[in-house]
Amino acid sequence: MKRSTPTPMVEFSHVRRCFGQTTAVDDLSLAIQRGEVFAFLGPNGAGKTTTIKMMVGLLHPSQGAIQVGGWDVVRHPRQAAQQIGYVPDEPFLYDKLTGREFLEFVARIRGMSAEETQQRIARQAEVFELTDFLDRLTETYSHGMKQRVVFASVLLHDPPLLVADEPMVGLDPKSVRLVKDLMRAHAAQGKTVFISTHTLALAEEIADRIGIIHRGRLIFVGSLAQMHQEGLMQDKNLEEFFLQLTDGQGRTPKLDASETFSAAGEEAAASSVVPPSADLPTSKEG
Amino acid sequence: MATSWAIRKQAEPSADALSLASLSAEARALWRLRYQRFRWALRIVLAESRLRLALIAVLSLVLWGVIFWLCLDGFHFLRAAVAHTPTHDQIVHHVFGMYLLALMLMLTISSGILLYGMLFRGPDIAFLLTLPVSTERVFLHKFQEAVWLSSWAFVLLSSPMFVAYGLAAQSPWYYYAVLVPFLAAFSYIPAAVGAMACLVVVRWFPGARMLFLAGVIVVLLAGGAWVVRGLSSTSPGDLLTPNWFQSILHRLRFSQHRMLPSWWVSMGILEASQPKQPAPWTTRPPWAESLLFLGLTISNALFFRQVAGAAGGRWYRSAYSRLHTQQHVSRPGFLPRLGWVAPIRLLRQLPPQLAAAADRFLLRLPIGSSATRLLVVKDFRLFRRDPVQWSQFLVFFGLVLFYFLHMRPFSYDIHHATWVNMVSFLNLSVVGLLLSTFTTRFVFPTISLEGRRFWLLGLLPLRREQILWSKFIYAFGGSILPCSLLVLLSDWKLGISPLIMGIHQLTAVLLALGLSGISVGLGAKMPNFRETSPARIAAGFGGTLCLVLSALYIVLVVALTALPSHFWLAFQTGQAAWSPGPFGLWEQSIRFWMLLGIGCSVLLGLAAAVIPMRMGFRAFHQMEF
Ligand SMILES: Nc1ncnc2c1ncn2[C@@H]1O[C@H](COP(=O)(O)OP(=O)(O)O)[C@@H](O)[C@H]1O
Ligand SMILES: [Mg+2]
């Protein structure tokens, strides 16, 4: 069943997705290796969510193909899904279920035995500090509690590929730290992390490689160092480059920029790392 | 379960994480999920709302009892009226066949619509489809729920009829035993057909799904109208004669087609109801005949379920993807493209101007305080700006209007004054029911929604009573005009006498008053601050209760005014004999009864307006936002 290791964890080949007349993702070709943290960076409406929904099998590509762990996501959705732990942009929990019952359901669906289920739930409960509320109905949880249960459910089966669509939105500082550490740890085990974000600070901080998507087109792939090397930014930093990108296209650039900035600011404040862009003027006054 | 766990027990967690669950383990996990969710929901209902549960149970029991009693009476009457046994059996067979056929069509549509919502719009679908579950299993999981949801109410409503028939026909015990498997298997077939239709439409014509549904409904309505017209065009003179029966049965023979599952079920149930000796056309005893039909129905149900499951496994994912990658079409469809045509441009400018004029008019009305009027105008604006919602209402309204306008062709040969009178009161209750859906859907939720915004309204110089009064005025004002006009149209078309017309108008006012009171009062008494969508608030318990109470109120008010006028008319036209009947009716007392009925309905109307409003005021006053 398992393919040999050299195959990339995720491989997009010439993927395109249209919504009627709109092309949300255009001719995307991209390979992501095992053990890599990949940040998919782009402003709102760039096509990040669409790309991720295709990767996890919710939407089919209009053209091209996607393989996850060697499995085609359209033809073998079950096998591909078994490789993935997916945190959607709007995570879902059943209201009338306790956190533990929810985790047990996910474990069963993923084919775990009863003992294994209990062991792994105990482990995740410890990591995400869920023990206090795990036996309460999820409808009584706060947003942060819900997020933590969702992360626990996604990591329950140690997925070779962790996919998260803008996961930091709405998380408290402590959870942001936790999730960042988790992603690094996940990659350190030789597993892959694919995370989408519209804030550069996060990408700079945790990613091995960054892909920048803009209006459905992948306009850059490489490491931070490569971006410097290629002189993409010369003496500007990445944040400015990103701003320029969103500016140059004439579509209410100020609004885009302010969204990017305020969110980046929050996230930066949440993490203990001072972003390199701290000296840039923020749009808070606007 | 145990063996597969035992085999995998020793394996290392991280290495083994990739093996998929077996198909049966998957099914068990989903069933368990359903069971756990159901248990929690039940536990919460039992803990928090015993009273509501009891109320629903009592209402259902009363409903069941009423239907049972009506059916029992009907079957006894039929037995007495048609002494000839084969004719009697034939009639019952046609009744069951028609009933089950109609049921089958309704189940097909309702399960198709339900499944559309559950498979493509359900909140948990995106979650389930990203788990390593086979597509067919997700589909079947939702299919099972749709079968259950769409059929339990129908089965519950049919059970009193079948039980009543069993009693009337003195059926053996196994008649009752086969009822359940027959109805259960029967509901699978239309559900599977509806499921496949839903799948095919979304997979290949995702943009035309509403058009398709509208087409199906129009075809069915046309078919229904055709049948009703065929039935009602027999002359009423030979009502209940053998000839009349034969011509009716002849018209209904399409319900006896041998390929219809409804025919199998009606055959099987009727066979089981027979006494022990075989029917003339077969040597098999009736119970064996019945079992044969049961086998036929069950095997077809299994076959259809299998086909639907396979279709789901094959097309569900791509259908989901298709639907969710459609371009969002701007609402008014073809209108923008025709924008250059001057009259159409005018037409599009007219409504805003009319609306603004209506607002100005409302603000000047000498009703309530100016703050109350402002609130009324605000509600009216919110209603206007929600075309998705009022368009549904408009469709109903249009259907009733269409029916009233075309009433003559259906009933020109029914010229008895009493008959016409009955139809007119029936129309009155139809208008009332239409209104009750309006008040439940558009008035009842607004109080909860207002509660959510109360911190904002609390800042305005408003008393809480004013909010409720404004809702009441909004509800009454919004319902009295269409109600009164529709009733007037119906009366005019039927050529009703001025006296009865006046009574109808009075009843319309009473209906609008009572329905407004019920919806506003209940809305304040049973608010729901958790939901943000008015549709979901209306669909909740409070909304359902509001609808049920409204329906009861309509039936009572209409019956109170209709019955006395009916007898009065009957005596006026000299159709009924002047004999003191069981209630000792004579001319003087008829006047008295009529006045009494109208007086009672006025009292009832006032009570329905005042009592819920008072309850609402009290609750609204004590409410913590
Ligand atoms: N269901 C849809 N129908 C039509 N257009 C859509 C739909 N979903 C997304 N789009 C469009 O596709 C583009 C990419 O959207 P998305 O992938 O959600 O962006 P991101 O996640 O990067 O913010 C946007 O222009 C958006 O308007
Ligand atoms: Mg997104």
Side-chain angles (χ1 to χ4, degrees), chain B residues 533-560:
Chain B
S533 126
R536 297 190 65 168
I537 295 174
F541 174 78
T544 315
L545 188 67
C546 178
L547 196 64
V548 170
L549 284 181
S550 302
L552 268 177
Y553 170 72
I554 293 162
V555 170
L556 272 177
V557 166
V558 173
L560 274 176

Side-chain angles (χ1 to χ4, degrees), chain A residues 2 17 19 21-22 57-58 60 78 82 92 94 96-98 101-102 109-111 113 115 120 137 157, chain B residues 5 8-9 13 17-19 21 26 33 37 39-40 44 123-124 132-134 317 320-321 324-325 327:
Chain A
K2 266 188 219 160
R17 179 68 256 178
F19 294 98
Q21 307 293 319
T22 327
L58 277 177
H60 291 172
R78 270 185 101 204
Q82 185 69 323
F92 171 83
Y94 288 101
K96 297 278 184 282
L97 219 56
T98 67
E101 284 164 342
F102 180 75
I109 283 290
R110 295 219 176 254
S113 73
E115 285 133 276
R120 286 176 181 235
L137 284 186
H157 66 297
Chain B
W5 282 348
R8 285 204 223 115
K9 205 170 77 178
L18 295 186
S19 68
E26 214 173 72
L33 172 76
R37 290 176 66 196
R39 203 182 50 181
W40 273 113
I44 291 168
D124 57 338
V133 189
S134 66
R317 262 178 197 277
Y320 181 90
S321 174
H324 287 271
T325 54
Q327 182 80 297

Side-chain angles (χ1 to χ4, degrees), chain B residues 372-384:
Chain B
T372 313
R373 290 199 296 269
L374 263 175
L375 282 176
V376 170
V377 169
K378 187 207 71 177
D379 277 330
F380 182 45
R381 281 195 184 137
L382 285 180
F383 176 75
R384 269 184 348 233

